[in-house]
Amino acid sequence: MLLSALVLVAAVACSARGGTGSGATPSSPSISVSFDINKCKSATPGPIELPSSGPALTDDTGCAVENPELVKKVYHELEIGDYDALMKYGGDRGLWNEERQPELLSQPDVRAKVMKSMTVHPHCDGGCVYPGFTTTGWDTELARSDAKALGVDPAAIPDPTVQIPVYTSFFPDCACDWLGVGPPKI
């Protein structure tokens, strides 16, 4: 059964200690979205808000992220710049096989941008990708609000599923590990 949920999106500044974050982000208007409450194990209809700091743990449909503790740990390791700990979360899967991964994660400004992208909603279908609009495009007002929070103009990026304008963070279906960072493709 589809239920309507009032979604309050308060885009706030990401405090990226140890990085060079870009400062305050613009606030977004309240918007309304519908989601299927039956597809979530523990969906609670109600406001969805961007966190003031730390990763967003509710996806773009209002469902809780599968393994919030891992997501929080990855965010923390990005924050303090512990590359060795980040490698342990990813192992030899996914993006860790790409030679640019160490180069990207060794840069404080890149880590700050990855952290900032994790403060907006992931899309969790076949895994979780922060931010959600990199897998769904501009399919909802929420995706557009998340883009605004990251300083992305949807008019300038017609299809973010092809042209990713921000750094992304990937978790697989099980959310049992972290597949690493994807660089912008513009």
Side-chain angles (χ1 to χ4, degrees):
M1 176 170 124
L2 289 177
L3 296 176
S4 290
L6 179 63
V7 179
L8 302 173
V9 178
V12 293
C14 169
S15 63
R17 291 185 309 243
T20 56
S22 61
T25 56
S27 61
S28 303
S30 295
I31 56 174
S32 198
V33 297
S34 295
F35 62 90
D36 184 352
I37 193 169
N38 294 320
K39 79 177 203 172
C40 302
K41 293 178 183 171
S42 60
T44 306
I48 298 176
E49 297 180 1
L50 295 178
S52 58
S53 65
L57 300 173
T58 306
D59 73 16
D60 58 352
T61 64
C63 300
V65 171
E66 186 77 23
N67 186 348
E69 288 309 309
L70 176 65
V71 175
K72 288 180 195 175
K73 287 176 184 175
V74 166
Y75 185 91
H76 174 71
E77 302 303 346
L78 285 166
E79 189 173 45
I80 63 173
D82 189 340
Y83 180 73
D84 291 333
L86 287 168
M87 275 189 10
K88 290 177 190 169
Y89 294 127
D92 59 359
R93 295 180 37 157
L95 298 172
W96 289 107
N97 293 325
E98 294 184 12
E99 59 188 51
R100 286 201 62 211
Q101 201 72 189
E103 174 194 336
L104 288 171
L105 293 174
S106 67
Q107 301 172 47
D109 62 325
V110 170
R111 289 194 311 272
K113 289 174 184 175
V114 175
M115 289 168 54
K116 188 171 183 181
S117 77
M118 288 178 69
T119 66
V120 299
H121 300 92
H123 179 71
C124 299
D125 182 12
C128 288
V129 179
Y130 287 88
F133 63 76
T134 64
T135 60
T136 63
W138 310 122
D139 65 341
T140 64
E141 285 298 318
L142 181 58
R144 288 185 284 277
S145 293
D146 284 349
K148 186 176 179 182
L150 296 176
V152 176
D153 177 10
I157 316 292
D159 185 359
T161 64
V162 175
Q163 296 178 297
I164 300 172
V166 295
Y167 284 91
T168 54
S169 197
F170 300 87
F171 294 84
D173 271 340
C174 63
C176 49
D177 53 11
W178 180 55
L179 301 186
V181 172
K185 294 185 196 172
I186 290 185

